[in-house]
Amino acid sequence: MKKKSNKKDLKLKFDTTWEYAPAPESKDHVKINTRYDLFINGKFTAPDSGKYFDTINPATEAKLASVADANQKDVDKAVKAARSAYENVWSKMPAKERGKYIYRIARVMQERARELAVIESMDGGKAIRESRDIDIPLAAAHFFYYAGWADKIKYAIPGADSRALGVAGQIIPWNFPLLMAAWKIAPALAAGNTVVLKPAETTPLTALKLAEIIQEADLPAGVVNIITGAGATGAALVNHPGIDKIAFTGSTDVGKIIQKAIAGTNKKYTLELGGKAANIIFEDAALDQAVEGIINGIFFNQGHVCCAGSRLFVQESVMDTVVRKLKDRMETLIVGDPLDKNTDIGAINSKEQLSKIRQYLKIGVNEGGEMYQSSCKVPSKGYWCKPTLFTNVSQSSRIIQEEIFGPVLGIQSFRTVEEAIEKANNIPYGLSGGVWTDKGSKIFKVTSQIRAGVIWANTYNKFDPTSPFGGYKESGMGREGGLHGLMPYLELAE
Ligand code: NAP
Ligand code: MG
């Protein structure tokens, strides 16, 4: 007898995503105080203003802690503490002793890595996989790397007598809170400076945990001071006459304000500003590998990355294939709870940033762009943006020219190598880029003609403390990382 086929049973369901069971990282080992004061002269000190602001978890909108809002008097106190520590302790200490303290900070950071990763994800919204595997290990690696430099600086610059600048004022953004603090503090200390650091308003918690680590490492009081607050606190730091150097990472607009504010003063400065990186895929590239790199380059950390590959140029003959593969891969991305180990894309950092991204999505559509978003579900509370791509955009589109700082990719085609280079360079920014091809000669041609500080070939978003990082054009000036990153904290006498 012929067996009756059960079409229903036989029908395979080709769901594009697997349903993973929730795998949340535990919060049990994490301690967040209800209130944080300013870290000045080795102690947590109540702010002169008496004011505190809330930092929230952007994935739940729940308040995490109250954080002190530093005013001008607090900034003054912190700068004076840093000056006194510089003159009386840090500049008198042998370089190899300074190095030992920096190593100690690195080791305590490693010991407390899990706690730091969870707090980074809670305060800023990034997926735990990133804070755990990228942000925190790289932050510790920067302290280890620069600890090693402390007693070798005089050998690294033959014939020149180098000395520290004094007190560095450092201002950082919210996209890599602890990593940016490490980029700033580690080289400054290794070069013999003391610092006053201001973290971003929406992500102050890991910097305050770093203050606890600094206490645990017994760093002499006043060598590192951490003051929380909003833009006004940053401006007070920039304008304080007791500062010898400003190290700023943030938007190009604020970078310009800082440049104007310190013009005509003796203050040295480095500015790490915005970006609008181009990825270029040639027809001879390994396309699946390239698609994976593009996905990583723009959706990693919700696109809150200065070097995010937010523009994509694809050689015309493979345009349709690449766009199809990108859409397929976007469908498999998991957007949601940043503390879940399966999450690819966490929460947008703040309500303000989400509304800025949404405005750009509208602008893109109004300009005639064709928008595609993955069909994933997003939680009802919190700030979320689905991975998005735009086709049918032109060089003059605002979503191609302006930094969105969200998970939004603009795709255009090209025919020749020259056209790709010209289009990639047609932008006020020059921070980073990527090229995907099987041919070494194309890699050399493209990387030597694109005006950007970092260009990756057949990979993307790779960082290492030994490698300098920084921009051309409106992406800033000066380099961080490697030996280059020490130079802006040193004065050289012939
Ligand atoms: P932002 O608005 O410029 O803020 C950066 C920092 O400056 C924050 O701590 C901010 O405080 C403070 N600030 C604001 N106004 C100030 C003023 N007038 N004077 C002194 N400080 C002031 O930038 P964001 O939105 O936080 O960060 C995103 C930007 O950073 C993007 O453009 C991105 O490309 C750039 N970025 C660049 C790099 C790089 O290496 N090139 C790396 C990461 C990010 P509040 O938090 O209170 O506003
Ligand atoms: Mg927060």
Side-chain angles (χ1 to χ4, degrees), residues 137-169:
L138 263 179
H142 270 82
F143 278 98
F144 275 118
Y145 173 74
Y146 281 113
W149 266 121
D151 61 351
K152 298 172 196 72
I153 290 174
K154 63 178 177 193
Y155 309 109
I157 315 157
D161 188 15
S162 66
R163 58 179 213 94
L165 300 176
V167 179

Side-chain angles (χ1 to χ4, degrees), residues 169-236:
Q170 308 183 316
I171 300 168
I172 55 173
W174 42 261
N175 59 344
F176 289 91
L178 188 68
L179 183 57
M180 289 298 118
W183 276 29
K184 297 273 178 288
I185 296 174
L189 296 191
N193 302 269
T194 58
V195 312
V196 179
L197 174 103
K198 189 200 94 68
E201 194 182 348
T202 57
T203 54
L205 293 184
T206 45
L208 292 161
K209 282 279 155 189
L210 179 59
E212 291 176 8
I213 290 171
I214 282 166
Q215 277 184 326
E216 208 179 318
D218 265 335
L219 190 74
V223 172
V224 172
N225 304 275
I226 296 177
I227 52 166
T228 43
T233 309

Side-chain angles (χ1 to χ4, degrees), residues 171-175 180 183 198-202 229-231 234-235 238 248-252 254 257-258 272-275 306 403 405 431 469 475:
I171 300 168
I172 55 173
W174 42 261
N175 59 344
M180 289 298 118
W183 276 29
K198 189 200 94 68
E201 194 182 348
T202 57
V238 168
F248 172 78
T249 297
S251 61
T252 296
V254 175
I257 294 173
I258 292 177
E272 300 283 356
L273 309 176
C306 51
E403 185 184 44
F405 225 55
L431 191 59
F469 184 89
S475 289

